[in-house]
Amino acid sequence: MKKSVEDVIEERHITHGDFEETFSTACRLFEALTGNSLKPHEFALVNIIHKIARIKCGGYHEDHWNDIEGYARLGKILHSDAQATEIVMNISDPHRQWGETGEDDGV
């Protein structure tokens, strides 16, 4: 029986907890370990790459494909939220987006 993406996400929520908290924690651990930072939606991409590697190196397991769908869905949510937060921050702090000269400072 094929599971829906929603079913996979709900199962993982029960066994692994809140995805935003988990992804944020994983990003902090990754940074502590490597000295490089990841955003939570980028961690979703790392998990997708991991699942692709499993598919490439192992046999067919429907679970890998279901997890890719789930990570893609969660990454989309996190990336959308990050974009919305960046827009709000730029609106609330005009100097963040525009320098004193009024030129785009690339931030």
Side-chain angles (χ1 to χ4, degrees), residues 85-103:
T85 299
E86 183 67 23
I87 290 168
V88 169
M89 289 174 71
N90 285 336
I91 290 171
S92 64
D93 183 3
H95 299 291
R96 181 174 163 82
Q97 184 176 17
W98 299 98
E100 292 298 325
T101 62
E103 295 180 29

Side-chain angles (χ1 to χ4, degrees), residues 33-78:
L33 181 66
T34 67
N36 299 307
S37 63
L38 282 177
K39 296 176 182 169
H41 71 275
E42 294 170 332
F43 183 71
L45 294 172
V46 169
N47 280 293
I48 290 169
I49 290 167
H50 180 224
K51 292 298 178 172
I52 291 170
R54 284 186 171 179
I55 291 166
K56 176 75 175 139
C57 295
Y60 173 82
H61 292 282
E62 182 178 345
D63 192 52
H64 298 326
W65 294 100
N66 292 341
D67 285 346
I68 288 172
E69 287 182 275
Y71 285 127
R73 175 82 53 93
L74 299 177
K76 180 179 177 182
I77 291 167
L78 292 168

